[in-house]
Amino acid sequence: MAVQSIELLGGESVYCINQSQLQSAYELAYNNASSSEKIQETLQELELKFTRNERASLAFVMIDRLLKNPE
């Protein structure tokens, strides 16, 4: 059975991430003593386990859930 690809690029913008937010995210992911190791391990697992579209889907859904329920 062939798997059909779902396009996740294009369309209207829904959420914006500014440069400061992205910089803070990189700081937490790569330079924070208590978080960077966990984040790097999880990223590596996700990149091995999921396709590009699956990772994009996960990222979009996580951002949406964080915006709707910040706790």
Side-chain angles (χ1 to χ4, degrees):
M1 173 162 64
V3 177
Q4 184 175 353
S5 179
I6 299 172
E7 181 61 43
L8 294 179
L9 301 175
E12 292 184 40
S13 292
V14 177
Y15 302 117
C16 242
I17 299 172
N18 68 40
Q19 186 65 34
S20 177
Q21 290 169 313
L22 185 58
Q23 188 174 3
S24 294
Y26 271 97
E27 183 67 29
L28 190 64
Y30 293 100
N31 299 320
N32 184 281
S34 63
S35 297
S36 63
E37 186 176 338
K38 291 188 292 186
I39 293 170
Q40 289 303 309
E41 287 175 4
T42 302
L43 282 173
Q44 190 172 23
E45 277 182 46
L46 293 174
E47 288 174 342
L48 291 172
K49 185 176 181 179
F50 293 147
T51 66
R52 183 182 187 277
N53 276 350
E54 290 168 339
R55 293 190 317 265
S57 175
L58 179 60
F60 294 151
V61 169
M62 287 185 72
I63 288 170
D64 188 59
R65 291 173 86 172
L66 287 166
L67 289 169
K68 290 177 179 172
N69 184 12
E71 297 298 317

